[in-house]
Amino acid sequence: MMNPILKGSLGIAKSKTFRGLFVLFLLYKLIFNQFTATWVVPNLLSKLTLIKMEGRFTCFSLFYGVEIQNLKLFPGGPFSETPVFSAKEIRIRYNLPFLLLGKISVSDLSLIDAKVRIEEKGGLWNTSYLLKEKKKGNEDTKVNPEPTVPKTEISTYLPLQLSAYLDVKGLSVQYIRETGSVRYLSLQNFDFQTKLITNRFTSIPLNADALSQLNEILVHINAERPLAIELDSDQLKWKESIPLSLRFEWDRTESPELFLFATDIGKDDINLEVRGKPVQTGLKILSDIHFDPKQDILKIQQFDLRVIGQSWIQLKGSLSDLSTESPNIDVDIVSSDINLNALQSSLKQLQGIVPEMNVSGGLSLVGTGIHGKWNQTNAKLKVNANKVFFKLGNTKPHKVDSANLDLSALLDFSIQKERTAEIPFPNLKKVNISPSQIIYNLASINLSGDYSFDSGLRFFLSLDKLQLGEYAQGIAGKLKMDLQASGESFASINLQSKLNIDGFRYQIDRSRSPASHLNLGFNTNLVFDKPFGLKEIQISNLDLEQRTLTGNKAIELGMKGKVQPGQTLVAQVSPLNLKLTTPNLLLVLPLVLKEKISPIQNLLGQQPKIKIIASYVQDSGKKHIVANLNSDLPGLEMNDLKLTSDITISGANTNEILIKEFKLSAFGGVFKSSLSGKLNKLEKQKPPLGPYFGNLDLSLSIVSPEKQYLAKGVSVHGDLGLNLKIKDYDINGEFYSKLPALSYNNQKCPGENCKAYLIEEINAKIPIQHNLAYQPEESLIVGDKSIFIKNYGRLNTPNVTIGKVIGTHPNIPNLPFEYVKKQNQLPGFSAFIEYKENFANIESLKSYSMDGIILGKNLVFNLGNLDPKTMEFRGNLLIRDIDLKQLMAPKIRDKIDDGKLKADLNIKVRDLSEPIANLDLFFSIFQIGEDFGKSALNVISAQNFLIDRITDSYPINKIDISLSRGLVYADVYFDRSLLSLIMKLEDGKISQQRMPLANFLKRAQNEIQTYQE
């Protein structure tokens, strides 16, 4: 009879489920075993890549990992004989079934005696023969993915725990090249072991919070043997064994926690060969920090930073009572001797390998330390320096002759508060800077001050003898400054400063200013709405003063205002007061600015003043400017100039300027001007106003219901104005005048130097049409002018009239003279003026003067594109019955029989930038009295006996005078008589050729004076 248990087992074996599982088990063992892996994996790898693999699998399990012994990977091509990677043993052991328990276990990840060889021959690298090249084909067009919010963690959804062990022992890396400056680099005997165990987690933070999930971590680097390094290059050769020992262990599962940190990195004597010369240097870091759980103390047994055998910094101390809520800290720098002179010798030997550097001097940090309970910690920083010098390459040297910095602080590490604007350092309870001094590049820097939660902050900084030219390009001078920072908290800091610069100079382009004295003082509040997040700058007072070297004031500036930085920038000035002393200002300006100020010096006056109240707001591509300006310009006797503006600028490239308001007023409101409209950048060529097309309204006006004194001797009564509409390339508008009177005197009246004039009944209404796109073509003076000068019998009603013009005599002091004389009820001057298509046409000009009349014919003024070089003028003046006797003194007039003059004057001038040189003038006198004819001949020809006889005997028929290129040509024609046969006058005339204009005017002035005597 069969055993029941055996019978039951045979029954299970005969079931379909058992047979299915048994077949799966056989297939698994058939595929996942060391013999199959040794045959399949190398063949599969050679099919997919260029790599040839040798090695023996001792374990190959899907659930428990892989082990390989004597592994070698050979690349293809010319490197097939030498493995790119080899290892005595590789172990990757894990436990996949532990996933069912919520654990990720990597029990052994080992790499034993591995070698990596990176080699180059003939420009080819062995690493390029590891993978097969992909066949080029039609690639799909890549579509840029939509931007996503960056992840802060990775969710695992299931609670997991990770344990991993990594062991790298005897790793060697070789870098070999036939070409290039580095021929050989070898690192041998690199050891690395780590152990990592976490608590259970459902997410992995992608920041420093991931450290909180670690329960145990261990890191060992070359803990038992040094690292062998060998380097062969053109510049440097190095072969040495360097200690690279690091041990870090942290176990949070213990109570109290276990902590150990120890290093032995570097050597005191590192020997190199640089460019064939031996170089000795050294760098070593020794540390031994461990935790004693019995005594509950973390001891810093050793921390020593050594450079070239010298101990630069030695730390010793401990952290005790770590398991309590208030641990105790006791750490000091017990030794510090940073001797930079010894470092300099190594730097010189390393020239060409490291940047050129010069250092010398000594530093010490002895006295620096931290002591006290975790919630009551006293920290101290002491820095002493002596003749420290540093220079990198060709940069500016830094020299600290001496330094003594003494800073202490009280810390509370138990505070767990968020940082705020009032308290940006929650753990910092107090800070005190004892009076400290630094002598830097011959400048003296002094520091002191304190801070606490209760009393706020108060710090002082002073600078003296700081040469600005060493730190700022284009500025020079010796700076002295006192700065004080104070406040109840860091949310609002008050800054007060006094700054003086002796020998202040600055440079603009190649122009440098003369030396001067500059003084600056300010009182400013800095307001913060988050830790050091600046919300507002409140300028309570800012005073700037610039003086000449002799102490005379040139610039005085005072300002109040505020600035609010941020996405919306707001700046306000309320107000800014500027006072200039012009003569002194010219003494402290660079030449490039002096050339711009000098021509307007008389307009500015001795002490011009400006007051500005303005605001500026910048937000989302728009800039809004509102400004009010008041100015006193004594040079123009303008003490109430006012400007108000409201302007908006849009676009990143200032595409649109909206001028909502731009107004000027002066002289008690008599003078007014306004501008409004838009300026736009359009897709059109040759914009008329810089880069803009305009749609603007401009008006200028002088309105005085009664006689009003303006400035510089000018008085006005009535209305005078200009209205213009600017649209793209066209300017249209009108000039108008309704002035009963306009007067001027040079403010030297009465007296011999008095010049005074009165113009009455000035009426005008002149239309204006100007084309900004106009380009000058053929000159008006060349070719047919008929379209401008012919009116075909049509006479326009005059639109410009002047009643009369009275003033001081042009040559005789204190004698009135009537330049334009009114004709009963008719004006003394009248004309029709039309400005159209960039030409001013003047028709029907009449002016009654000196008992005669002057008529204007064919007068054309071409303004072109408003460039003086392209402007031109032409015209004819007909002078009829002008009585020259009126130019003489009353006692002289009765001695002159005939002073009547009839003449024609033709004028042509091109290029008004040099009008005299480009003026062509022809003056033909066909009737002149005998006395004045003799005077005209005296001007043209030097006086002598012969000329006197001719002028006494010959009646003058005509005088022709022409001016060309600054030279005068003249002919005096005489009536023929018997004396002409005796004197043999050629063509009955006397000529003068090529007389300089200056000589001509001087002779004319001398001849006029003969009538005054």
Side-chain angles (χ1 to χ4, degrees):
M1 186 175 181
M2 185 175 293
N3 189 313
I5 296 175
L6 178 62
K7 184 177 180 181
S9 300
L10 290 174
I12 293 172
K14 291 180 181 180
S15 67
K16 292 183 179 179
T17 302
F18 176 79
R19 284 181 290 177
L21 292 174
F22 183 72
V23 171
L24 289 176
F25 175 76
L26 291 178
L27 287 175
Y28 168 78
K29 295 300 292 183
L30 182 64
I31 297 173
F32 293 97
N33 64 78
Q34 59 187 16
F35 305 106
T36 303
T38 302
W39 180 78
V40 172
V41 173
N43 284 281
L44 183 62
L45 191 62
S46 62
K47 294 277 187 187
L48 300 176
T49 67
L50 298 176
I51 298 173
K52 177 185 175 183
M53 175 181 170
E54 294 182 0
R56 184 170 64 89
F57 284 82
T58 57
C59 177
F60 188 70
S61 172
L62 175 64
F63 297 102
Y64 299 103
V66 179
E67 292 184 7
I68 310 174
Q69 291 184 352
N70 300 323
L71 173 65
K72 294 181 180 180
L73 299 178
F74 296 87
F79 304 95
S80 59
E81 300 298 326
T82 306
V84 67
F85 176 81
S86 63
K88 183 178 179 180
E89 187 174 2
I90 296 178
R91 295 193 297 270
I92 306 174
R93 302 304 299 265
Y94 51 84
N95 196 322
L96 201 59
F98 274 11
L99 279 176
L100 300 176
L101 302 177
K103 291 185 178 182
I104 303 174
S105 176
V106 182
S107 58
D108 190 3
L109 187 61
S110 300
L111 190 63
I112 310 299
D113 292 340
K115 295 181 180 180
V116 178
R117 182 184 179 94
I118 301 173
E119 185 177 6
E120 179 262 334
K121 289 182 181 179
L124 301 176
W125 291 89
N126 60 349
T127 53
S128 62
Y129 288 90
L130 297 178
L131 302 176
K132 293 182 178 180
E133 293 185 3
K134 293 182 179 180
K135 294 183 180 180
K136 295 182 179 180
N138 295 329
E139 297 182 357
D140 295 336
T141 303
K142 294 183 178 180
V143 179
N144 293 328
E146 294 183 0
T148 57
V149 178
K151 291 184 176 180
T152 58
E153 62 180 16
I154 299 175
S155 298
T156 60
Y157 302 105
L158 297 176
L160 298 175
Q161 183 183 29
L162 171 66
S163 61
Y165 303 86
L166 172 63
D167 184 13
V168 177
K169 188 174 292 184
L171 175 64
S172 298
V173 178
Q174 285 184 319
Y175 176 88
I176 305 169
R177 290 196 69 175
E178 288 185 349
T179 61
S181 59
V182 180
R183 292 179 292 276
Y184 183 77
L185 173 63
S186 172
L187 302 176
Q188 297 183 12
N189 300 328
F190 177 74
D191 299 334
F192 178 77
Q193 292 83 36
T194 185
K195 176 182 177 182
L196 186 67
I197 299 176
T198 69
N199 53 24
R200 288 196 176 272
F201 56 85
T202 56
S203 64
I204 303 174
L206 299 178
N207 50 42
D209 293 341
L211 295 176
S212 63
Q213 295 183 345
L214 297 176
N215 278 342
E216 184 179 350
I217 181 171
L218 177 147
V219 177
H220 287 182
I221 299 176
N222 282 75
E224 299 177 355
R225 57 181 175 179
L227 179 69
I229 299 176
E230 183 176 355
L231 173 64
D232 183 11
S233 68
D234 293 341
Q235 301 288 333
L236 178 64
K237 292 184 179 180
W238 185 21
K239 185 176 182 180
E240 198 155 12
S241 293
I242 297 291
L244 193 68
S245 175
L246 184 146
R247 296 178 61 199
F248 174 67
E249 298 178 13
W250 184 20
D251 190 350
R252 299 175 62 190
T253 60
E254 298 285 341
S255 181
E257 298 179 1
L258 177 64
F259 183 88
L260 171 65
F261 181 81
T263 61
D264 183 1
I265 300 174
K267 294 177 67 176
D268 286 332
D269 54 341
I270 298 175
N271 298 295
L272 308 171
E273 185 178 318
V274 179
R275 297 179 178 177
K277 295 181 180 180
V279 175
Q280 185 175 4
T281 185
L283 179 65
K284 190 176 183 69
I285 300 176
L286 293 171
S287 67
D288 184 6
I289 304 172
H290 70 273
F291 178 69
D292 188 341
K294 293 182 179 179
Q295 299 183 12
D296 195 15
I297 185 171
L298 179 71
K299 295 182 179 180
I300 304 176
Q301 301 277 44
Q302 182 182 32
F303 185 91
D304 193 357
L305 172 63
R306 304 173 61 86
V307 179
I308 317 177
Q310 297 178 343
S311 181
W312 279 22
I313 297 176
Q314 281 189 9
L315 277 177
K316 280 193 176 181
S318 63
L319 277 74
S320 57
D321 301 329
L322 292 179
S323 60
T324 66
E325 294 183 355
S326 182
N328 190 62
I329 306 171
D330 187 11
V331 179
D332 285 298
I333 295 180
V334 296
S335 176
S336 176
D337 184 12
I338 304 174
N339 189 345
L340 300 176
N341 296 321
L343 179 63
Q344 178 60 35
S345 60
S346 296
L347 293 175
K348 284 185 177 180
Q349 294 173 340
L350 290 171
Q351 189 174 2
I353 301 299
V354 298
E356 184 178 353
M357 193 183 307
N358 291 319
V359 295
S360 62
L363 291 166
S364 175
L365 299 176
V366 173
T368 300
I370 181 168
H371 304 272
K373 290 290 186 179
W374 192 251
N375 60 354
Q376 195 80 3
T377 305
N378 292 296
K380 195 171 187 65
L381 172 65
K382 294 196 72 172
V383 180
N384 290 282
N386 183 34
K387 295 188 181 303
V388 174
F389 179 87
F390 174 77
K391 184 179 181 181
L392 181 63
N394 296 323
T395 60
K396 180 183 68 66
H398 303 272
K399 185 178 181 181
V400 179
D401 289 333
S402 65
N404 177 22
L405 179 62
D406 190 349
L407 184 149
S408 60
L410 179 62
L411 305 169
D412 185 353
F413 293 109
S414 65
I415 295 178
Q416 302 292 328
K417 291 183 179 180
E418 292 289 332
R419 297 171 63 226
T420 63
E422 292 80 5
I423 307 177
F425 307 109
N427 303 111
L428 182 63
K429 297 179 69 176
K430 289 184 179 180
V431 171
N432 180 67
I433 302 177
S434 299
S436 304
Q437 185 181 60
I438 302 172
I439 306 299
Y440 171 70
N441 284 5
L442 302 180
S444 174
I445 305 172
N446 293 278
L447 296 167
S448 63
D450 56 77
Y451 160 75
S452 68
F453 281 170
D454 300 327
S455 61
L457 63 133
R458 190 177 181 85
F459 293 100
F460 302 91
L461 167 68
S462 67
L463 298 176
D464 193 13
K465 299 179 182 179
L466 183 68
Q467 295 291 344
L468 291 176
E470 298 182 7
Y471 310 98
Q473 187 176 3
I475 298 178
K478 188 182 292 185
L479 171 67
K480 180 179 181 180
M481 182 182 73
D482 294 322
L483 176 65
Q484 174 182 319
S486 60
E488 294 183 357
S489 70
F490 282 98
S492 178
I493 300 176
N494 177 258
L495 296 179
Q496 297 184 38
S497 177
K498 291 183 179 180
L499 179 151
N500 303 290
I501 304 176
D502 287 335
F504 174 68
R505 303 182 73 174
Y506 61 96
Q507 186 170 339
I508 298 177
D509 295 330
R510 296 183 180 180
S511 181
R512 195 175 185 186
S513 71
S516 62
H517 297 295
L518 188 70
N519 301 318
L520 174 65
F522 62 82
N523 186 344
T524 301
N525 288 320
L526 305 180
V527 181
F528 303 87
D529 59 353
K530 56 185 177 180
F532 297 109
L534 189 60
K535 176 185 178 183
E536 187 174 0
I537 302 173
Q538 300 172 347
I539 304 173
S540 302
N541 191 35
L542 185 150
D543 294 312
L544 182 144
E545 182 181 82
Q546 187 176 12
R547 294 174 178 261
T548 64
L549 290 179
T550 56
N552 297 318
K553 293 182 180 180
I555 299 175
E556 297 173 79
L557 183 145
M559 187 183 76
K560 295 181 180 181
K562 65 179 181 179
V563 178
Q564 296 175 342
Q567 188 174 0
T568 300
L569 174 63
V570 179
Q572 293 181 351
V573 175
S574 56
L576 182 149
N577 292 301
L578 177 64
K579 179 181 178 181
L580 305 176
T581 304
T582 310
N584 298 332
L585 177 64
L586 294 175
L587 296 178
V588 299
L589 289 178
L591 182 60
V592 65
L593 295 180
K594 189 179 299 184
E595 291 176 343
K596 296 178 180 179
I597 299 296
S598 294
I600 61 172
Q601 180 180 1
N602 291 332
L603 300 180
L604 295 175
Q606 285 286 109
Q607 289 188 330
K609 300 176 184 178
I610 298 175
K611 180 179 180 180
I612 299 175
I613 298 175
S615 67
Y616 173 86
V617 179
Q618 179 177 333
D619 182 21
S620 64
K622 285 190 176 182
K623 302 170 186 176
H624 187 206
I625 303 168
V626 177
N628 294 303
L629 179 147
N630 294 274
S631 180
D632 180 1
L633 302 177
L636 292 175
E637 298 183 32
M638 185 186 293
N639 57 12
D640 61 347
L641 175 64
K642 296 181 181 180
L643 182 149
T644 59
S645 64
D646 187 342
I647 299 173
T648 301
I649 301 174
S650 304
N653 296 320
T654 315
N655 297 321
E656 180 183 273
I657 300 176
L658 173 61
I659 305 173
K660 186 177 180 181
E661 181 183 45
F662 191 91
K663 293 183 178 180
L664 279 172
S665 67
F667 305 119
V670 173
F671 170 78
K672 292 182 180 179
S673 174
S674 68
L675 175 68
S676 62
K678 285 185 179 181
L679 292 170
N680 293 91
K681 288 183 179 178
L682 303 177
E683 297 297 328
K684 297 181 182 179
Q685 294 183 349
K686 297 180 180 180
L689 304 173
Y692 296 100
F693 287 82
N695 187 1
L696 304 171
D697 292 313
L698 171 66
S699 68
L700 299 169
S701 66
I702 294 177
V703 180
S704 178
E706 57 187 21
K707 185 177 180 180
Q708 172 77 38
Y709 176 82
L710 294 185
K712 307 297 284 186
V714 176
S715 297
V716 67
H717 176 201
D719 298 348
L720 176 71
L722 175 68
N723 294 319
L724 296 177
K725 173 70 176 180
I726 304 170
K727 177 65 175 177
D728 296 338
Y729 297 102
D730 295 324
I731 300 178
N732 294 281
E734 181 184 67
F735 172 80
Y736 65 90
S737 171
K738 293 182 180 179
L739 292 176
L742 177 65
S743 62
Y744 166 79
N745 73 79
N746 62 355
Q747 300 175 317
K748 296 179 181 180
C749 301
E752 291 190 358
N753 297 320
C754 172
K755 298 291 182 183
Y757 303 93
L758 172 63
I759 309 174
E760 293 184 349
E761 299 178 10
I762 306 170
N763 296 300
K765 192 173 184 180
I766 303 174
I768 295 174
Q769 188 274 318
H770 185 87
N771 183 5
L772 292 170
Y774 174 82
Q775 294 297 325
E777 297 175 356
E778 187 178 15
S779 167
L780 286 176
I781 301 174
V782 178
D784 183 13
K785 289 23 139 246
S786 62
I787 60 172
F788 299 108
I789 64 177
K790 288 184 179 179
N791 54 33
Y792 301 99
R794 293 173 299 192
L795 297 176
N796 292 304
T797 302
N799 60 358
V800 178
T801 60
I802 299 175
K804 64 179 179 179
V805 179
I806 302 174
T808 51
H809 196 283
N811 299 306
I812 305 172
N814 297 319
L815 183 67
F817 185 80
E818 197 167 13
Y819 290 89
V820 175
K821 187 175 183 180
K822 192 171 184 180
Q823 303 297 305
N824 297 324
Q825 299 302 318
L826 297 177
F829 176 91
S830 63
F832 176 80
I833 302 176
E834 181 183 34
Y835 184 78
K836 187 177 181 181
E837 297 178 354
N838 301 34
F839 296 93
N841 300 315
I842 305 172
E843 301 176 7
S844 305
L845 185 148
K846 291 181 182 180
S847 179
Y848 296 93
S849 178
M850 299 167 62
D851 294 335
I853 186 171
I854 300 174
L855 302 174
K857 300 288 186 180
N858 309 330
L859 299 172
V860 181
F861 187 14
N862 177 12
L863 276 72
N865 59 0
L866 302 181
D867 182 0
K869 285 185 175 295
T870 63
M871 292 182 185
E872 57 184 358
F873 175 77
R874 64 161 287 121
N876 309 106
L877 295 177
L878 309 181
I879 301 171
R880 298 294 182 264
D881 297 326
I882 292 295
D883 189 357
L884 297 179
K885 290 194 300 182
Q886 296 187 27
L887 294 174
M888 305 298 109
K891 62 181 180 179
I892 304 296
R893 295 175 186 173
D894 296 338
K895 299 179 182 180
I896 300 173
D897 296 330
D898 184 9
K900 292 291 184 178
L901 173 72
K902 293 183 179 180
D904 290 340
L905 177 63
N906 300 327
I907 301 175
K908 299 177 183 178
V909 58
R910 300 181 62 188
D911 186 358
L912 292 186
S913 63
E914 296 184 15
I916 299 299
N918 297 289
L919 174 64
D920 288 329
L921 179 147
F922 181 75
F923 188 31
S924 179
I925 303 173
F926 54 87
Q927 179 180 326
I928 187 170
E930 180 179 344
D931 294 311
F932 291 106
K934 182 177 179 180
S935 295
L937 185 58
N938 290 336
V939 172
I940 294 169
S941 179
Q943 294 182 4
N944 53 49
F945 176 78
L946 180 60
I947 294 300
D948 290 341
R949 300 288 73 77
I950 293 174
T951 54
D952 289 340
S953 305
Y954 283 70
I956 296 176
N957 188 348
K958 185 173 67 169
I959 301 174
D960 290 340
I961 301 173
S962 62
L963 173 66
S964 179
R965 299 186 181 277
L967 297 176
V968 177
Y969 302 81
D971 294 315
V972 180
Y973 295 89
F974 298 89
D975 291 338
R976 299 189 65 83
S977 66
L978 179 61
L979 187 59
S980 66
L981 299 177
I982 300 173
M983 303 299 294
K984 294 184 179 179
L985 294 176
E986 185 178 352
D987 297 327
K989 68 177 181 178
I990 293 177
S991 299
Q992 176 67 53
Q993 303 291 321
R994 302 175 64 83
M995 178 188 294
L997 179 60
N999 292 353
F1000 179 84
L1001 295 176
K1002 185 176 181 180
R1003 286 187 180 184
Q1005 182 66 26
N1006 292 336
E1007 190 64 26
I1008 291 173
Q1009 289 180 353
T1010 61
Y1011 288 95
Q1012 315 302 329
E1013 298 173 353

